[in-house]
Amino acid sequence: MRLPVLFSALALAVALPGAALAQTPPPAVVQTTGVSVADAKAWLAGLGGNVREPVLRDGVTSLHIADEPLPWNLTFYACGPSLCDDIQYSAIFSGPITPDQINAWNRDNRFLKAYFMPAGPGSAAGAVVQYDVVLTNTGTEQLREPTVIWLQMLRTFAQGLAAAPAQ
């Protein structure tokens, strides 16, 4: 018996969209989680990282961390006026690297994912490794655990490449 009433209400809403939908627009969403690029840069530098100035490319901001012997990048996504909700750690490795090494890594390891880059004119094959993180709190404290995981996995990936027999 309620179904006809529901259909009648739906028909009325469709027939009179202005009356049925006349509401005050929702307020602008204020981003309450994430981290600012400036705070992340200061936090990494405070840990001893050699952090370069932010680079904006195609609307995405990245920090280059020149930690030797394994330099890496931190890229910020889903950014609002002051905070970014998603980050991605990444690094590039040059060859010799094979697709089999990358496939074995991805099969046997979680979190850090690798992508094979075929050799180009004048360059050896390489790999890109990435670790994506969704931020659910505010501030730099939430970067501590993902950064530890990233650095451990980055080192493990590099050691695996170094230990691989020459191709």
Side-chain angles (χ1 to χ4, degrees), residues 69-131:
L70 298 171
W72 50 279
N73 294 301
L74 183 60
T75 304
F76 299 83
Y77 295 97
C79 297
S82 62
L83 301 175
C84 300
D85 279 349
D86 304 338
I87 57 173
Q88 181 182 73
Y89 299 84
S90 63
I92 299 174
F93 289 83
S94 57
I97 299 172
T98 68
D100 288 340
Q101 288 174 292
I102 302 304
N103 289 338
W105 171 268
N106 287 330
R107 179 189 63 239
D108 298 337
N109 295 277
R110 295 179 60 206
F111 304 112
L112 188 144
K113 294 302 172 199
Y115 303 93
F116 180 74
M117 296 184 321
S123 68
V128 174
V129 291
Q130 298 175 331
Y131 174 41

Side-chain angles (χ1 to χ4, degrees), residues 6-141:
L6 177 62
F7 284 136
S8 296
L10 182 59
L12 182 58
V14 171
L16 302 170
L21 300 177
Q23 299 175 359
T24 305
V29 176
V30 176
Q31 193 171 355
T32 59
T33 62
V35 66
S36 74
V37 174
D39 287 347
K41 180 181 185 289
W43 182 78
L44 289 165
L47 294 175
N50 182 1
V51 186
R52 296 193 182 146
E53 289 302 313
V55 173
L56 179 65
R57 183 177 302 152
D58 299 325
V60 177
T61 302
S62 293
L63 293 174
H64 180 76
I65 297 82
D67 290 341
E68 294 302 330
L70 298 171
W72 50 279
N73 294 301
L74 183 60
T75 304
F76 299 83
Y77 295 97
C79 297
S82 62
L83 301 175
C84 300
D85 279 349
D86 304 338
I87 57 173
Q88 181 182 73
Y89 299 84
S90 63
I92 299 174
F93 289 83
S94 57
I97 299 172
T98 68
D100 288 340
Q101 288 174 292
I102 302 304
N103 289 338
W105 171 268
N106 287 330
R107 179 189 63 239
D108 298 337
N109 295 277
R110 295 179 60 206
F111 304 112
L112 188 144
K113 294 302 172 199
Y115 303 93
F116 180 74
M117 296 184 321
S123 68
V128 174
V129 291
Q130 298 175 331
Y131 174 41
D132 294 307
V133 177
V134 175
L135 303 175
T136 58
N137 290 307
T138 303
T140 56
E141 182 59 31

